[in-house]
Amino acid sequence: MSTERVHFTKEKATMLATLYGRARDSMSADPILGDRTAEELIERIDYDFGRFRMHRGWTTGVALRARQLDAWAADFLGRDPAVTVLHLGCGLDSRVFRLDPPSGVRWYDVDYPDVIAVRHRLYPDREGYRMIGTSVTDVRWLERIPAERPALVVAEGLLMYLSEGDIEDLFRGIADRFPSGQLMFDAISRLGVRLQRFNRPVRAAGATFTWALDDARLLERWDRRIRLVTELPVLDLPGVERLPVGYRIPIRAMRLVPAFRRVGRLLRYEFSRPR
Ligand SMILES: C[S@@+](CC[C@H](N)C(=O)[O-])C[C@H]1O[C@@H](n2cnc3c(N)ncnc32)[C@H](O)[C@@H]1O
């Protein structure tokens, strides 16, 4: 098996941290996500993953976040298989293989061109699946996607690296193009941005969080077609009780303080054209 030497910096390098987090979860005795592809990929990628100095809390958090977004995505796909999936900032994530949607689903994995070039070398083709190499903020890429179906938009570990204006343009562009759909992503609060120096893997990657979301209803004010459906603090993710006791006790205390409870959240929105 050939190995792939990679060199990425800043927010692109963070995809190697999340990949490694999922691989470490898969290698554990009792995995949460069980992403065997991540485990295989870290064997094929020539990279010093040890530099992320990842602790158990981080790998568990990455696996829980991915599992929850998988569950929301599977719920959407289960209701209507004739949809288009836009998986933004996909990095080296195997979500399309984990969810294994029916071939009628059109699935687009989108990330920077050099990330997609590596993805092409690591992943096989599959029916209904395409990769697009572009910055998601250059919204002209949306014109390449057929527009008639509902869209499921998943962005995991992406938006905190973008500017607020770019995110607003992107979501408005999506709501303009597709008849209806859902947006699902994780976001951090202003306090989370301030605390980013404690996020060791992100610091090791040299990346910087820029976008903070305190009020989840902000998107509804950007565009009246968008409605908040679910706001789930990461401290409440199903499975946090699987963390070692050294994490569970501080988590219990942090849940009681609204500012800490809001630091990391998974969010789900619906959008549709007005009747
Ligand atoms: C933390 S990684 C997450 C990767 C993947 N979603 C996962 O969970 O493993 C952030 C990803 O966002 C991508 N990214 C950041 N800014 C981007 C942009 N403007 N356009 C496209 N991708 C971007 C990076 O290249 C990287 O793959």
Side-chain angles (χ1 to χ4, degrees):
M1 194 196 301
S2 64
T3 56
E4 182 73 30
R5 171 162 290 190
V6 297
H7 178 72
F8 289 108
T9 58
K10 300 189 175 175
E11 70 273 24
K12 292 178 190 169
T14 61
M15 71 178 176
L16 298 165
T18 45
L19 178 73
Y20 189 53
R22 289 189 297 275
R24 288 273 299 271
D25 167 66
S26 174
M27 286 180 244
S28 71
D30 188 14
I32 290 167
L33 185 67
D35 185 347
R36 292 292 310 278
T37 307
E39 207 179 323
E40 286 160 23
L41 287 191
I42 63 154
E43 292 302 318
R44 291 177 60 194
I45 295 174
D46 181 3
Y47 188 79
D48 173 21
F49 290 98
R51 69 199 293 267
F52 294 124
R53 292 171 51 229
M54 218 169 260
H55 52 69
R56 173 89 184 278
W58 213 85
T59 56
T60 305
V62 165
L64 290 176
R65 177 177 81 176
R67 187 174 71 171
Q68 186 61 47
L69 288 172
D70 279 4
W72 282 352
D75 174 52
F76 186 89
L77 292 170
R79 281 189 253 154
D80 183 2
V83 299
T84 294
V85 180
L86 307 177
H87 186 209
L88 310 182
C90 58
L92 297 176
D93 186 17
S94 68
R95 174 158 285 121
V96 66
F97 294 93
R98 290 199 301 273
L99 293 180
D100 193 21
S103 59
V105 169
R106 292 186 192 130
W107 185 299
Y108 297 87
D109 270 353
V110 187
D111 208 301
Y112 284 118
D114 46 349
V115 172
I116 291 298
V118 170
R119 244 195 112 84
H120 269 297
R121 293 197 286 276
L122 292 170
Y123 278 102
D125 290 336
R126 58 175 279 149
E127 216 181 323
Y129 173 61
R130 282 191 51 198
M131 306 180 204
I132 299 187
T134 177
S135 170
V136 295
T137 60
D138 177 0
V139 290
R140 286 171 302 179
W141 67 270
L142 284 169
E143 292 162 18
R144 293 158 63 183
I145 316 285
E148 76 285 2
R149 294 182 176 189
L152 166 61
V153 180
V154 188
E156 180 173 8
L158 166 69
L159 300 184
M160 54 288 284
Y161 301 110
L162 307 185
S163 74
E164 184 154 301
D166 281 343
I167 298 167
E168 184 176 350
D169 289 348
L170 175 63
F171 286 162
R172 190 166 289 135
I174 288 169
D176 283 344
R177 184 148 184 89
F178 299 97
S180 62
Q182 286 196 356
L183 312 168
M184 42 189 78
F185 58 87
D186 54 317
I188 52 177
S189 68
R190 246 178 282 189
L191 177 61
V193 170
R194 281 211 294 276
L195 295 175
Q196 64 180 297
R197 65 180 176 281
F198 299 110
N199 192 326
R200 218 155 49 191
V202 171
R203 213 177 53 213
T208 308
F209 295 150
T210 50
W211 186 56
L213 180 67
D214 278 349
D215 176 5
R217 298 220 175 257
L218 176 67
L219 276 72
E220 297 180 343
R221 294 195 290 277
W222 285 349
D223 193 309
R224 291 178 55 204
R225 291 167 294 186
I226 300 177
R227 289 175 307 279
L228 177 66
V229 178
T230 316
E231 179 171 10
L232 177 62
V234 297
L235 298 179
D236 295 343
L237 276 171
V240 283
E241 64 285 354
R242 302 266 306 268
L243 282 161
V245 67
Y247 293 94
R248 289 202 311 267
I249 292 169
I251 282 176
R252 244 177 261 155
M254 284 160 74
R255 276 199 187 119
L256 301 174
V257 182
F260 278 117
R261 203 176 156 77
R262 228 186 10 235
V263 160
R265 281 155 300 152
L266 297 195
L267 298 155
R268 181 159 53 156
Y269 299 83
E270 278 175 354
F271 67 90
S272 56
R273 291 194 180 131
R275 288 173 203 281

